């Protein structure tokens, strides 16, 4: 993981290329596996904090509501052409 971070910082690999590799989700990909495990650790550490911290839950809920409101507005604006809405899948 450190080698990947240094490669991104030095410009040897672009962040978009790294994200494409990680998005593939291949268990054979040597880059994917450690990043998946780090993600699991981060979720495990943050979940108890989220559950016990009421102000944090309120902030997360407020941010989620803003995003959902924007998505509903975007769907309303694009009502004539549902395919133009980013939340609908073809």
């Amino acid at each position: 993981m450190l080698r990947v971070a240094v490669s991104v910082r030095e410009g040897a690999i672009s962040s978009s290329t790294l994200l494409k590799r990680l998005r593939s989700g291949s268990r054979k990909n040597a880059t994917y596996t450690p990043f998946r495990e780090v993600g699991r650790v981060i979720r495990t550490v943050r979940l108890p904090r989220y559950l016990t911290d009421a102000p944090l839950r309120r902030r997360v809920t407020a941010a989620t509501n803003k995003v959902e409101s924007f998505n509903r507005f975007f769907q309303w604006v694009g009502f004539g052409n549902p395919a133009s809405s980013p939340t609908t899948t073809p």
Side-chain angles (χ1 to χ4, degrees):
M1 287 180 50
L2 184 59
R3 186 171 40 151
V4 172
V6 170
S7 296
V8 170
R9 190 177 83 199
E10 298 296 323
I13 185 172
S14 70
S15 56
S16 61
T17 302
L18 176 62
L19 289 174
K20 285 178 189 175
R21 281 188 182 176
L22 295 175
R23 190 175 59 212
S24 71
S26 173
R27 294 178 191 260
K28 295 178 184 177
N29 184 341
T31 306
Y32 173 79
T33 304
F35 280 96
R36 182 187 67 205
E37 292 305 318
V38 168
R40 288 178 176 171
V41 168
I42 290 171
R43 280 194 309 268
T44 301
V45 169
R46 292 191 180 223
L47 182 61
R49 178 175 171 227
Y50 175 80
L51 293 174
T52 59
D53 189 353
L56 175 62
R57 286 196 311 270
R58 283 193 291 274
R59 283 196 312 268
V60 169
T61 301
T64 303
N65 288 341
K66 284 182 185 179
V67 171
E68 290 300 322
S69 294
F70 175 78
N71 287 339
R72 283 192 300 273
F73 172 74
F74 199 77
Q75 286 177 344
W76 178 79
V77 168
F79 73 94
N81 185 7
S84 69
S85 177
T87 57
T88 59
T89 56

